[in-house]
């Protein structure tokens, strides 16, 4: 297949010419950096460093130090630190995450579908949830921007954005490293090396390697399963040939491996147990608590994923404005072999081989355009493509081998501006117009090749007003629209399904917020309330196939639903006395379908038994809460102890919208994630061996209450059901150094 990188070549050429032919942009001046010292900084509005207390936006900023002091160093661990955020791992996708923010969620590993919460690393958006839950050792900050971010980040950010900023090359010699050893065979090694001339040139080398044996016991194969491994190595080059120019080039390589274990959740309502329950009686009708940790798969399965990622960023300061160019390419190959039925007999196994590529080019200019008017204006180009070659082994050994070829091309123009109306009153206006084009080819069998293509465009505005009630209190009101692109169901298994495209879905969100600080910033309390209308919601529905089809039913994706989601949020940080800090978050959520019509018999009428609007939306817990206490105390003139404890609570939520066998208006009860309380703690001893050097040792524990239960579940068309478990208690020790 021909790669369509024409605009990409233009963007790269512009990048190179800007980098080497012209003096260009540095980041923030030393003066600005000094002004921000000691404040919590956010960069998600693409205006450089801003105090989180000054932006009219619900955002939680998490430092990697906050994660590290709890023995947590992956994106997944941000979950307990921001309100109304749920992050569940997706075992069938290498490093994949099911992320839900303010009740807007996505979990599918099929790459024809796109995320609802954007994960952005150093300005580069990930178009698939594969590889999202990466190691955070080299991260500088993680920003959780809640609510639609369609103006600045564009399509597929209708729930929000997790904006990750990695550490920059220091241009001076320095080394950081650590090793972690824990139960379930956890071994993890992280390192960052910096070199440079202290002025113009800096090179950062980074890498990590992780091994984990898994916590499932496979009694059929007599071994532990659910293992995973992750290796990442890379380099970032920083060149600043003048005070107004910086060039950042990053290249990295990643590998993910392991075996994807699943638990059997099939019961007497599923064909598997109806037909074969007498053969495997102990593998049917199991509970969704302690039974989940014993699995029966007859095939171990495997994950093989490797990816090359390249990116280049050029920043050029021109007076009060900064011109930024970000060019990025990701190219990955993966193969996942999995026994989805989770039983000791061959019933439903898949072998999925995928090639995925994405290219993006962003050009933007930001800063103060006129006196009292600042913001950003830009262009964005995106394209991706993937090929899927899947072999599915059915009961009796029959195999089917559908293949997919899918391409996406998108272009957008955007602007977002702040207008100072008075010294205390500010108006913010933003808009983005996006064009999407997709092409889809599905090979159902030799000679049975079907294609489709469609295009969409969408306007996404944003407006907010904020007012400085006092120097320490900011009040704001905002409206924002976000949208998720339309497309095709990449697992379509009939000509009819291939011919059925779905349109974009949209979220219109209204928000009121209050940001407050007291005692010179020692106490910060930020509040937000929001009301969101979710229209044309894309849902997978099972419906009858046309007469003469090989199967009586099929799964298609339609704009089948609408919903209303509203909630309250609070972020808190308090430096109560020297060395003692409290951080906390509370989220309250109320999410309901307004309508959810499934035309099961495809007659175009609303018949009894086709109303799913009384179901619960996926991953919408009513309540999320976290409170973390961190205390540092001096042991000697050159050493200290740090104590950290965190309690987080999440109420129960549904992980599937597959209907219950006995009631179409209820979620299948096997998909209920129980209410959980996660108690984590860590003790760190640090010995300072110089002004910029130290060694440390940390003992940590996660899920100390050892809560068990369902992580996620998926009943499959009445045939069988499988799921995953909440990770049990984990503990370990970390040894590290920095100089």
């Amino acid at each position: 297949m021909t790669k369509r990188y024409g605009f990409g070549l233009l963007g790269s050429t512009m990048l190179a010419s800007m980098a080497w032919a012209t003096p260009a942009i540095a980041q923030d001046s030393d003066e600005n950096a000094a002004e921000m010292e000691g404040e919590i900084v956010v960069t998600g509005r693409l205006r450089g460093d801003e105090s989180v207390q000054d932006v009219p936006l619900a955002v939680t900023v998490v430092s990697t130090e906050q994660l590290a002091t709890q023995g947590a160093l992956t994106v997944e661990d941000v979950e307990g630190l921001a309100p109304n955020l749920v992050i569940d791992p997706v075992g069938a996708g290498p490093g994949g995450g099911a992320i839900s923010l303010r009740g807007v969620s996505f979990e599918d590993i099929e790459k024809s579908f796109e995320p609802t919460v954007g994960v952005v690393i150093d300005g580069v958006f990930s178009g698939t949830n594969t590889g999202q839950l990466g190691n955070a050792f080299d991260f500088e900050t993680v920003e959780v921007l809640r609510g639609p971010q369609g103006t600045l980040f564009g399509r597929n950010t209708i729930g929000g954005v997790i904006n990750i900023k990695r550490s920059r090359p220091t241009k001076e010699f320095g080394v950081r490293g650590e090793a972690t050893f824990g139960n379930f065979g956890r071994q993890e090694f992280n390192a960052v090396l910096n070199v440079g001339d202290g002025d113009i040139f800096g090179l950062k080398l980074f890498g990590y390697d992780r091994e984990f044996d898994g916590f499932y016991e496979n009694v059929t194969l007599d071994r532990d399963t659910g293992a995973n491994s992750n290796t990442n190595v890379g380099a970032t080059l920083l060149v600043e040939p003048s005070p107004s120019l910086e060039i950042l080039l990053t290249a990295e390589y990643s590998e993910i491996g392991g075996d994807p274990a699943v638990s059997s959740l099939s019961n007497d309502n599923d064909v598997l147990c109806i037909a074969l329950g007498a053969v495997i009686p102990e593998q049917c009708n199991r509970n969704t608590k302690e039974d989940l940790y014993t699995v029966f798969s007859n095939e171990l399965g495997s994950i093989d994923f490797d990816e090359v990622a390249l990116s280049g960023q050029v920043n050029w300061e021109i007076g009060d404005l900064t011109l930024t160019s970000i060019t990025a390419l990701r190219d990955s190959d993966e193969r996942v072999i999995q026994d989805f039925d989770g039983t000791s007999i061959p019933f439903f196994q898949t072998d999925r081989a995928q090639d995925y590529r994405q290219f993006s080019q962003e050009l933007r200019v930001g800063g103060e355009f006129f006196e009292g008017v600042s913001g950003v204006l830009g262009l964005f180009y995106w394209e991706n493509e993937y090929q899927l070659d899947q072999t599915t082994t059915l009961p009796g050994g029959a195999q089917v081998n559908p293949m997919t070829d899918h391409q996406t091309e998108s272009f957008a123009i955007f602007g977002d501006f702040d207008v100072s109306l008075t010294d205390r009153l500010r108006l913010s206006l933003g808009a983005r117009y996006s064009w999407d084009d997709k092409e889809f080819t599905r090979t159902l069998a030799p000679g049975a090749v079907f294609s489709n293509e469609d295009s969409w465009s969408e306007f996404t505005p944003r407006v907010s007003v904020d007012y400085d009630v006092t120097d320490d209190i900011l009040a704001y009101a905002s409206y924002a629209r976000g949208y998720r692109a339309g497309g095709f169901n990449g697992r379509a298994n009939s000509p009819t399904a291939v011919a059925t495209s779905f349109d974009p879905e949209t979220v219109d969100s209204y928000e009121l917020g209050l940001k407050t600080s007291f005692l010179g910033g020692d106490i910060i309390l930020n509040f937000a309330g929001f009301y969101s209308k979710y229209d044309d919601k894309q849902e997978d529905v099972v419906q009858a196939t046309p007469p003469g089809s090989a199967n009586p039913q099929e799964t298609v994706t339609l704009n089948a639903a609408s919903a209303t989601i509203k909630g309250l949020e609070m972020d808190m940080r308090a430096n109560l006395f020297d060395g003692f800090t409290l951080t906390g978050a509370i989220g309250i959520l109320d999410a309901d379908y307004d309508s959810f019509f499934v035309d099961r018999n495809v007659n175009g009428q609303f018949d009894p038994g086709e109303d799913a609007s009384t179901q619960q939306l996926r991953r919408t817990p009513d309540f999320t809460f976290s409170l973390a206490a961190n205390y540092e105390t001096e042991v000697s003139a050159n050493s200290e102890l740090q104590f950290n404890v965190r309690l987080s609570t999440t109420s129960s939520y549904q992980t599937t919208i597959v209907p219950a066998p006995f009631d179409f208006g209820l979620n299948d009860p096997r998909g209920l994630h129980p209410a959980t309380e996660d108690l984590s703690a860590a003790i760190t001893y640090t010995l300072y061996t110089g002004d910029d050097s130290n060694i440390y040792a940390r003992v940590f524990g996660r899920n100390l209450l050892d809560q068990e239960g369902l992580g996620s579940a998926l009943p499959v068309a009445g045939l069988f059901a499988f799921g995953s478990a909440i990770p049990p208690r984990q503990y370990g020790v970390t040894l590290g150094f920095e100089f």
Side-chain angles (χ1 to χ4, degrees):
M1 185 177 115
T2 302
K3 297 183 180 180
R4 300 174 299 164
Y5 293 155
F7 189 94
L9 179 61
L10 173 61
S12 298
T13 302
M14 293 176 67
L15 180 73
S17 63
M18 289 170 62
W20 303 113
T22 324
I25 181 175
Q27 210 173 5
D28 292 308
S29 68
D30 293 338
E31 181 181 351
N32 289 337
E35 291 175 359
M36 302 300 294
E37 186 176 357
E39 296 190 60
I40 300 174
V41 170
V42 61
T43 62
R45 297 208 309 156
L46 308 185
R47 291 157 167 79
D49 290 347
E50 299 178 283
S51 169
V52 71
Q53 296 304 106
D54 293 336
V55 298
L57 177 71
V59 55
T60 300
V61 180
V62 180
S63 69
T64 51
E65 182 181 9
Q66 285 178 268
L67 294 173
T69 53
Q70 300 166 22
L73 276 177
T74 71
V75 175
E76 182 183 354
D77 297 308
V78 177
E79 178 186 44
L81 299 172
N84 289 325
L85 174 64
V86 174
I87 304 178
D88 291 333
V90 179
I99 303 177
S100 174
L101 190 53
R102 286 188 171 179
V104 181
S105 67
F106 171 77
E107 67 174 316
D108 208 304
I109 60 170
E110 174 58 55
K111 288 180 169 52
S112 62
F113 306 120
E114 297 171 326
T116 56
V117 177
V119 175
V120 178
I121 300 179
D122 288 342
V124 179
F125 172 80
S126 175
T128 170
N129 65 350
T130 300
Q132 285 185 336
L133 303 184
N135 180 282
F137 179 75
D138 188 39
F139 292 172
E140 185 174 292
T141 57
V142 180
E143 302 169 358
V144 182
L145 312 174
R146 304 190 294 276
Q149 304 296 320
T151 302
L152 294 174
F153 292 95
R155 55 206 287 277
N156 309 325
T157 58
I158 62 175
V161 166
I162 298 178
N163 186 39
I164 296 167
K165 183 180 179 182
R166 289 190 281 203
S167 70
R168 293 163 52 85
T170 63
K171 296 187 287 187
E172 297 178 347
F173 178 78
V175 182
R176 294 189 299 126
E178 67 175 31
T180 297
F181 304 93
N183 60 334
F184 302 113
R186 177 180 173 181
Q187 298 184 46
E188 190 167 340
F189 304 93
N190 301 277
V192 174
L193 169 66
N194 273 284
V195 295
D197 65 355
D199 182 21
I200 295 176
F201 160 84
L203 176 66
K204 181 188 73 174
L205 304 177
F206 57 91
Y208 68 84
D209 184 77
R210 171 188 166 93
E211 297 286 342
F212 184 76
D213 290 344
F215 50 79
Y216 297 95
E217 180 187 4
N218 188 312
V219 296
T220 302
L221 301 177
D222 190 25
R223 59 167 294 166
D224 293 335
T225 60
N228 64 72
S229 63
N230 199 329
T231 300
N232 172 265
V233 293
T236 297
L237 174 66
L238 169 63
V239 181
E240 294 182 295
S242 77
S244 61
L245 169 66
E246 72 170 19
I247 304 161
L248 274 168
L249 304 174
T250 298
E252 58 186 308
Y253 173 77
S254 301
E255 286 185 357
I256 300 175
D259 61 270
V262 298
S263 305
S264 172
L265 292 176
S266 300
N267 60 26
D268 288 341
N269 294 302
D270 297 307
V271 170
L272 173 61
C273 291
I274 294 172
L276 300 169
V279 180
I280 51 171
E282 76 284 359
Q283 300 175 39
C284 293
N285 302 305
R286 297 175 64 77
N287 66 51
T288 56
K289 293 183 179 179
E290 64 272 6
D291 281 355
L292 292 166
Y293 300 87
T294 300
V295 298
F296 304 93
S297 297
N298 59 292
E299 185 173 354
L300 181 62
S302 63
I303 293 174
D304 294 289
F305 172 89
D306 62 83
E307 178 181 72
V308 173
L310 306 172
S311 65
Q313 180 170 342
V314 175
N315 299 305
W316 178 16
E317 287 183 353
I318 311 171
D320 294 329
L321 299 178
T322 296
L323 180 63
T324 298
S325 172
I326 302 176
T327 307
L329 173 68
R330 290 177 58 187
D331 193 325
S332 66
D333 297 306
E334 69 180 78
R335 185 183 182 190
V336 179
I337 300 173
Q338 189 162 7
D339 180 9
F340 272 106
D341 61 89
T343 66
S344 61
I345 57 178
F347 191 81
F348 192 93
Q349 290 84 31
T350 64
D351 184 343
R352 295 168 56 89
Q354 294 189 84
D355 297 327
Y356 174 81
R357 290 163 296 281
Q358 70 171 56
F359 174 85
S360 60
Q361 172 65 53
E362 181 168 348
L363 293 172
R364 66 175 187 258
V365 59
E368 187 171 10
F369 288 82
F370 311 101
E371 184 176 356
V373 179
S374 62
V376 62
L377 181 67
L379 302 172
F380 182 75
Y381 177 80
W382 164 274
E383 65 180 35
N384 73 353
E385 58 183 271
Y386 82 95
Q387 293 81 41
L388 168 64
D389 184 350
Q390 176 172 325
T391 300
T392 302
T393 304
L394 303 171
Q399 291 187 333
V400 293
N401 180 219
M403 291 182 285
T404 300
D405 194 331
H406 191 280
Q407 304 172 50
T408 299
E409 191 169 28
S410 179
F411 179 77
I413 181 170
F414 63 92
D416 198 276
F417 297 93
D418 298 331
V419 182
S420 297
L421 302 179
T422 70
D423 290 343
R424 292 189 175 272
L425 181 65
R426 179 173 58 176
L427 173 67
S428 298
L429 298 171
R432 190 180 190 108
Y433 202 93
S434 303
W435 295 264
D436 292 310
D437 181 79
K438 295 189 177 183
E439 299 177 8
F440 174 48
T441 299
R442 181 76 164 164
T443 302
L444 302 179
V449 182
F450 303 91
S451 298
N452 199 353
E453 63 177 307
D454 208 340
S455 58
W456 304 266
S457 60
E458 194 75 27
F459 176 69
T460 50
R462 185 191 71 86
V463 58
S464 73
V465 177
D466 62 269
Y467 180 71
D468 287 317
V469 180
T470 70
D471 291 343
D472 298 318
I473 299 177
L474 174 76
Y476 69 90
S478 69
Y479 160 77
R481 163 171 282 204
Y483 92 102
R484 184 181 177 207
F488 306 98
N489 187 335
R491 58 172 63 95
N493 283 321
S494 74
T496 304
V498 174
T500 304
S501 62
F502 52 88
D503 289 327
E505 61 181 16
T506 60
V507 169
D508 291 285
S509 181
Y510 304 84
E511 183 173 319
L512 294 174
L514 190 67
K515 298 196 171 186
T516 68
S517 63
F518 307 95
L519 302 178
D522 282 341
I523 296 179
I524 292 175
L525 291 171
N526 293 337
F527 305 89
F530 66 92
Y531 177 89
S532 298
K533 293 293 292 182
Y534 202 156
D535 292 317
D536 296 318
K537 190 176 190 307
Q538 301 163 8
E539 299 285 18
D540 287 348
V541 300
V542 178
Q543 61 184 29
T545 55
S549 300
N551 298 308
Q553 62 183 24
E554 63 184 344
T555 300
V556 297
T557 303
L558 302 174
N559 300 98
S562 62
T564 297
I565 306 173
K566 49 187 178 290
L568 298 172
E569 297 168 341
M570 186 273 286
D571 278 301
M572 179 270 290
R573 181 180 181 88
N575 300 316
L576 297 184
F577 54 85
D578 188 30
F580 185 73
T581 302
L582 282 178
T583 56
I586 296 175
I588 299 172
L589 201 62
D590 181 10
D592 294 292
Y593 283 108
D594 297 324
S595 64
F596 188 0
F597 167 51
V598 181
D599 191 6
R600 302 170 73 184
N601 55 13
V602 201
N603 66 354
Q605 299 179 2
F606 201 137
D607 300 316
E610 296 183 335
D611 182 7
S613 63
T614 53
Q615 288 193 25
Q616 295 182 33
L617 279 75
R618 284 171 288 193
R619 292 184 172 84
T620 55
D622 293 338
F623 181 72
T624 58
F625 165 83
S626 71
L627 182 66
N630 192 79
Y631 177 61
E632 300 176 10
T633 183
E634 187 178 274
V635 176
S636 67
N638 60 348
S639 64
E640 69 177 21
L641 273 175
Q642 186 175 43
F643 300 89
N644 186 280
V645 61
R646 185 188 76 182
L647 176 66
S648 59
T649 299
T650 302
S651 61
S652 62
Y653 57 86
Q654 293 288 345
T655 64
T656 179
I657 57 167
V658 174
F662 50 84
D663 190 335
F664 190 75
L666 296 178
N667 307 69
D668 192 308
R670 291 171 292 184
L672 182 66
H673 188 295
T676 56
E677 291 183 350
D678 180 11
L679 178 64
S680 301
I683 301 174
T684 304
Y685 173 76
T686 303
L687 175 63
Y688 295 96
T689 56
D691 291 340
D692 298 311
S693 61
N694 63 78
I695 57 176
Y696 57 89
R698 176 180 301 119
V699 179
F700 64 88
R702 309 288 308 282
N703 187 13
L704 292 174
L705 302 177
D706 200 23
Q707 295 213 321
E708 297 179 335
L710 182 87
S712 63
L714 183 60
V716 181
L719 301 174
F720 61 92
F722 66 93
S724 62
I726 297 169
R729 180 189 294 122
Q730 297 182 54
Y731 50 85
V733 59
T734 296
L735 305 174
F737 67 90
E738 180 176 5
F739 64 84

